[in-house]
């Protein structure tokens, strides 16, 4: 991944404000070919980019692809080789849930590169960066799973550490599905603290152990959900300090989400995002955001949720 390497600028403190144009990285031009009726919501990425691309305080850019050298900071070299060459078994591809194609590989590289680029922008002084896709937290070191080929958050965490830009990384995963791949990759690694707030009875049905897991009952509504998020931030506060936050801002806790099982309102997700960004700003943390999951019907509800996540971040990190 070709990025200019320089020392990170001083992170923004909670009381230093300036006008910013925040960078967002979009991969929707790298289309994942899917059969008719496939449940992966490709359309949401195009709609999200079209919604935010004209905002004056957001610059939407094309991310570079993650290279093999970067991917193998986390993933086994054999897995990267076999996935990229199309040599994975049929069973392994079924576990991922996508038909193999060169375009699938390219999009997966770009989606990982987008989270890396968002973290780079945040750490270089903007304080905040967005991947308009990403959140591929079911990918393990040696295999993919659940629409996830490479684990963008894990790769980004290892990459910023390798570059010397961060020593300790916080991954806050608020997708409705547990970040099992992320948890397994960083098990017993004190340099990366993993938090997952998810539906307890939802996929994956065999959970891994994050540093903090909060499993919620099916049908959980706003009040209990926001209490869980508040608890997760309190634990993160005690576990810190951290140099960067990678935030998986899933839209799938929405009551309208067909794969979510929770009953959180759009307003509730908005309050969640405000809590996370205001907490991060108060800590002086650089924040890289990935959109993570969202499968609402209609898909416009997911796009609205992702849009308000971006608005909340811009509000928290821009001038008063």
């Amino acid at each position: 991944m070709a990025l200019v390497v320089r020392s990170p600028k001083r992170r923004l403190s909670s009381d230093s404000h300036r006008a910013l144009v925040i960078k967002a990285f979009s991969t929707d031009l790298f289309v994942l070919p899917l059969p008719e009726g496939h449940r992966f919501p490709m359309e949401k990425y195009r709609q999200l980019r079209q919604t935010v691309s004209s905002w004056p305080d957001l610059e939407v850019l094309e991310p570079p692809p993650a290279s093999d050298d970067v991917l193998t900071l986390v993933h086994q070299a054999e897995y990267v080789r076999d996935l990229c060459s199309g040599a994975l078994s049929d069973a392994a591809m079924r576990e991922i849930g996508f038909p193999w194609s060169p375009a699938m590989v390219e999009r997966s590289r770009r989606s990982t590169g987008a989270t890396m680029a968002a973290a780079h922008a945040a750490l270089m002084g903007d304080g905040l960066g967005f991947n308009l896709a990403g959140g591929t937290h079911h990918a393990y070191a040696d295999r993919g799973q659940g629409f996830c080929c490479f684990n963008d958050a894990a790769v980004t965490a290892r990459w910023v550490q390798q570059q010397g830009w961060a020593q300790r990384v916080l991954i806050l995963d608020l997708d409705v599905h547990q970040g099992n791949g992320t948890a397994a990759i960083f098990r017993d690694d004190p340099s990366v603290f993993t938090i997952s707030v998810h539906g307890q009875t939802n996929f994956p049905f065999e959970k891994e152990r994050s540093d903090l897991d909060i499993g919620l009952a099916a049908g959980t509504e706003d009040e209990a959900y926001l209490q869980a998020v508040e608890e997760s931030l309190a634990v993160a506060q005690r576990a810190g300090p951290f140099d960067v936050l990678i935030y998986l801002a899933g839209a799938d806790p929405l009551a309208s989400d067909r794969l979510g099982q929770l009953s959180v309102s759009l307003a509730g997700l908005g309050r969640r995002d405000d809590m996370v960004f205001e907490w991060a700003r108060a800590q002086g943390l650089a924040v890289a955001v990935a959109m993570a999951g969202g499968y609402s019907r209609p898909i416009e509800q997911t796009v609205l949720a992702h849009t308000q996540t971006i608005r909340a971040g811009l509000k928290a990190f821009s001038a008063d």
Side-chain angles (χ1 to χ4, degrees), residues 51-65:
T51 299
V52 304
S53 59
S54 63
W55 292 5
D57 47 358
L58 196 71
E59 181 182 13
V60 180
L61 302 167
E62 180 181 294

Side-chain angles (χ1 to χ4, degrees), residues 50-274:
Q50 289 182 339
T51 299
V52 304
S53 59
S54 63
W55 292 5
D57 47 358
L58 196 71
E59 181 182 13
V60 180
L61 302 167
E62 180 181 294
S67 68
D68 286 2
D69 287 344
V70 170
L71 293 171
T72 53
L73 293 174
V74 165
H75 295 288
Q76 292 183 3
E78 181 180 6
Y79 170 67
V80 173
R81 182 194 68 219
D82 288 350
L83 175 66
C84 293
S85 66
L88 284 183
S89 68
D90 290 344
M93 289 307 304
R94 283 195 298 272
E95 189 172 2
I96 291 173
F98 294 143
W100 187 89
S101 67
M104 182 211 75
V105 175
E106 182 67 12
R107 188 180 189 282
S108 299
R109 287 185 185 274
R110 298 278 180 167
S111 186
T112 301
T115 301
M116 294 167 59
H120 178 264
L123 284 162
M124 291 305 109
D126 290 350
L128 177 67
F130 292 99
N131 179 357
L132 300 186
T136 47
H137 56 170
H138 298 312
Y140 285 74
D142 62 345
R143 66 189 188 277
Q145 186 184 83
F147 305 149
C148 302
C149 296
F150 303 125
N151 192 311
D152 63 315
V155 170
T156 297
R158 281 287 182 249
W159 180 65
V160 297
Q161 289 176 330
Q162 181 201 50
Q163 296 297 318
W165 299 332
Q167 293 183 340
R168 296 197 71 219
V169 178
L170 172 62
I171 299 178
L172 176 62
D173 190 337
L174 300 187
D175 188 285
V176 80
H177 305 103
Q178 195 216 26
N180 55 332
T182 310
I185 288 166
F186 295 118
R187 183 182 296 121
D188 301 321
D189 181 347
S191 74
V192 181
F193 196 86
T194 57
I195 296 176
S196 181
V197 179
H198 52 263
Q200 184 60 33
T201 60
N202 209 328
F203 179 88
F205 305 112
E206 293 185 10
K207 305 291 193 288
E208 300 286 352
R209 178 173 58 82
S210 310
D211 290 300
L212 174 67
D213 287 298
I214 301 179
L216 301 173
T220 294
E221 298 181 348
D222 288 12
E223 182 178 359
Y225 180 73
L226 293 172
Q227 286 177 351
V229 174
E230 184 176 21
E231 178 184 344
S232 74
L233 295 176
V235 171
Q237 179 80 26
R238 295 193 295 270
F242 301 100
D243 301 300
V244 62
L245 164 63
I246 302 174
Y247 174 33
L248 278 63
D252 43 11
L254 277 176
S256 58
D257 197 277
R258 59 195 170 99
L259 302 182
Q261 299 183 9
L262 301 187
S263 295
V264 180
S265 70
L266 188 64
L269 282 191
R271 291 198 295 275
R272 174 200 72 177
D273 292 331
D274 288 340

Side-chain angles (χ1 to χ4, degrees), residues 1-21:
M1 181 175 182
L3 290 172
V4 176
V5 178
R6 60 187 186 275
S7 298
K9 298 177 183 176
R10 180 179 59 84
R11 286 174 289 154
L12 297 175
S13 68
S14 60
D15 59 355
S16 73
H17 297 288
R18 60 188 177 91
L20 291 173
V21 176

